[in-house]
Structure formats: C-alpha cells, structure tokens
Amino acid sequence: MSVVELREYQVLNTLVFETLGQPEKEREFKFKELKRWGFDLIFGKKGGRETYFTAEIDKRRVGERFVENGIEYEVVEILKDLPKNKKLFAHIESYNGRAYIVAQLRENEENIEILRVPAGFVVLSFFRKNKLNQLVAHMRNVGICIEFVKQRGQEGKPVPYEELPSVARKFLRTVKDVEKDAGFGRVALAYYGEDKEMKPRYRISWLLPTIAMFDLEIAQKADKALAMFVG
C-alpha cells in the first residue's frame, strides 16, 4: 500500500464521534472558579468611577492606586464572594486568530466586564495549577474550542469499532460523558493495533469547548480520559 493509499484509508476509517450542538456562547461560574483561574475580584475605582475589576491573585492591596493601559485604578476592597444579586458569566471571543476569555458580573440587564485576557495563557496556567498533566501535554491550539492531540507509535490501518480493545471503548464512553457536561465535542480515534512490545499505537484528536474547560470538574474528567491511553 502506497503512502497516498494509506492516508486515504486512514481518512475513511478513522472513527469520529460527535456530540451534536454548538459550543456554548457563555457559561455561568461560581466565585471560586475565578480564584482558581488566578484572579482576585476587586471593588474600587476605574477611571474615577466606582466599579468592579480583577487583578492577579495577591498582586494588589487595599488602598493601592495604579495605572494600567492608561487607566487609573484604585483598590477599595478585595472581595471574598460575589456581590449580592450578581452572577458571574464568562465566554470566549476571538480576535485576529487569538481567543480571549471575557468575564462579566451580571444583575438583570446590567453587565460589568471584569476580565478580558488571552484564553490560552489562563487555561494553561489553570491546568498546570491543578496538575492536569494530560491536558497540558496534549493541548495543541485554543479558539472557541481547544484541540487535544495524543498519539503513539507508528501509524497504520485503523481497526474498525468492533475490534477496539476494552481501554479504547472505555475511553469513548468517558468522552461521551465529558461532552455531555461540556455541551459539545468531537473526537477522532484511529487505533492501529499494538507494536512488538504489545503497546498500543493510535492517534486521538479531541475538540472540546474552551469555556467548558475552565470548569475544574469537566477538565479533571477530560484529563482522566486522556490518561487511559499509554503516552
């Protein structure tokens, strides 16, 4: 079989499982998630007006004044919970090919933007802080979705679903559970069998909504799923 023929065979026989729907536009989070991402919620003054904003954990002190991007800030209080009647929502926006996480405090029709930073830097730090080593090692790109790619061994002819070993089937079941929680997902699995050392050969490509990966429980489940396959 030529290289071209092998590639065509792989394209036609790689197993693809998709959770229908679109990546959610936004997700509601608890206050503790903001802290897990590495940010303090602050009440103070921004450009002379009282409002809420964020700063890296422990970077600012009460009474401190500073200038950032030409705007003057004053720290009045570092909050230990969400303000009364306000909820925390976050979503992903894309600009010039780079994804940003945007967080807002919401009460009825009022939205106060408290965070707008590159999503990749934050989610990678979040994964590292929580020792989600599989996600760190296999994250390949970040947009509205994150792609995780894990592969091992020499490529070959993918086996059909009926010939998958138990670990691969367990992985796919776990993937389905993760995607149910995330609301969207797409996994492509090409399992090529075992090598001479009886170790699996495979390639996995997994898309998950970026905003859902800021939820620690979902991220932990995804990390455990990828760990099922020998690296």
Side-chain angles (χ1 to χ4, degrees), residues 18 48 101 109 118 120-121 128 131 167 182 208:
E18 299 172 301
I101 180 170
E109 300 301 319
F121 292 108
R128 285 174 173 158
K131 296 180 172 57
V167 65
L208 286 169

Side-chain angles (χ1 to χ4, degrees), residues 9-227:
Y9 188 92
Q10 290 173 341
V11 168
L12 296 176
N13 290 278
T14 292
L15 303 175
V16 177
F17 298 87
E18 299 172 301
T19 298
L20 299 178
Q22 296 293 329
E24 61 188 337
K25 293 183 178 180
E26 66 178 5
R27 177 176 282 254
E28 184 177 356
F29 292 93
K30 296 180 180 179
F31 177 79
K32 64 182 179 181
E33 298 296 340
L34 186 65
K35 303 289 282 187
R36 285 171 173 168
W37 304 342
F39 295 94
D40 281 324
L41 178 60
I42 297 171
F43 173 73
K45 292 183 178 180
K46 177 180 178 181
R49 298 182 61 181
E50 290 188 343
T51 189
Y52 300 93
F53 52 91
T54 55
E56 293 178 25
I57 283 183
D58 298 330
K59 184 176 182 180
R60 302 299 177 185
R61 297 289 181 266
V62 173
E64 182 180 359
R65 295 188 179 189
F66 62 96
V67 176
E68 198 170 85
N69 297 324
I71 301 175
E72 184 177 0
Y73 293 81
E74 180 181 350
V75 179
V76 175
E77 182 182 1
I78 299 175
L79 302 179
K80 296 182 180 180
D81 204 345
L82 291 177
K84 186 177 180 180
N85 298 327
K86 294 191 184 297
K87 296 182 178 181
L88 174 65
F89 288 87
H91 63 275
I92 302 296
E93 292 183 9
S94 182
Y95 180 72
N96 286 343
R98 172 170 283 188
Y100 292 81
I101 180 170
V102 180
Q104 299 170 323
L105 288 182
R106 182 173 303 166
E107 182 178 357
N108 298 323
E109 300 301 319
E110 180 186 35
N111 278 313
I112 302 173
E113 185 176 304
I114 59 172
L115 181 69
R116 180 181 290 268
V117 292
F121 292 108
V122 182
V123 77
L124 187 56
S125 175
F126 175 60
F127 290 163
R128 285 174 173 158
K129 188 180 302 181
N130 290 283
K131 296 180 172 57
L132 303 176
N133 299 324
Q134 290 290 317
L135 301 187
V136 171
H138 303 296
M139 184 169 70
R140 290 296 176 266
N141 51 72
V142 181
I144 299 299
C145 288
I146 297 181
E147 182 183 19
F148 299 97
V149 176
K150 185 172 184 178
Q151 59 189 75
R152 184 193 176 280
Q154 184 177 359
E155 293 185 2
K157 298 172 66 175
V159 304
Y161 179 83
E162 292 74 18
E163 296 180 22
L164 290 177
S166 59
V167 65
R169 291 171 181 256
K170 183 179 180 181
F171 168 75
L172 292 173
R173 289 195 299 270
T174 305
V175 163
K176 187 174 182 180
D177 290 339
V178 172
E179 293 179 352
K180 182 179 179 181
D181 291 340
F184 172 84
R186 181 185 192 274
V187 66
L189 170 64
Y191 186 81
Y192 308 120
E194 296 179 341
D195 59 19
K196 294 180 180 179
E197 299 177 349
M198 305 299 290
K199 292 183 178 181
R201 299 178 297 126
Y202 59 85
R203 186 181 191 280
I204 299 167
S205 173
W206 194 10
L207 287 176
L208 286 169
T210 300
I211 196 62
M213 301 311 294
F214 282 91
D215 184 310
L216 182 57
E217 290 185 5
I218 295 176
Q220 287 174 330
K221 289 180 181 178
D223 188 77
K224 289 179 181 179
L226 287 174

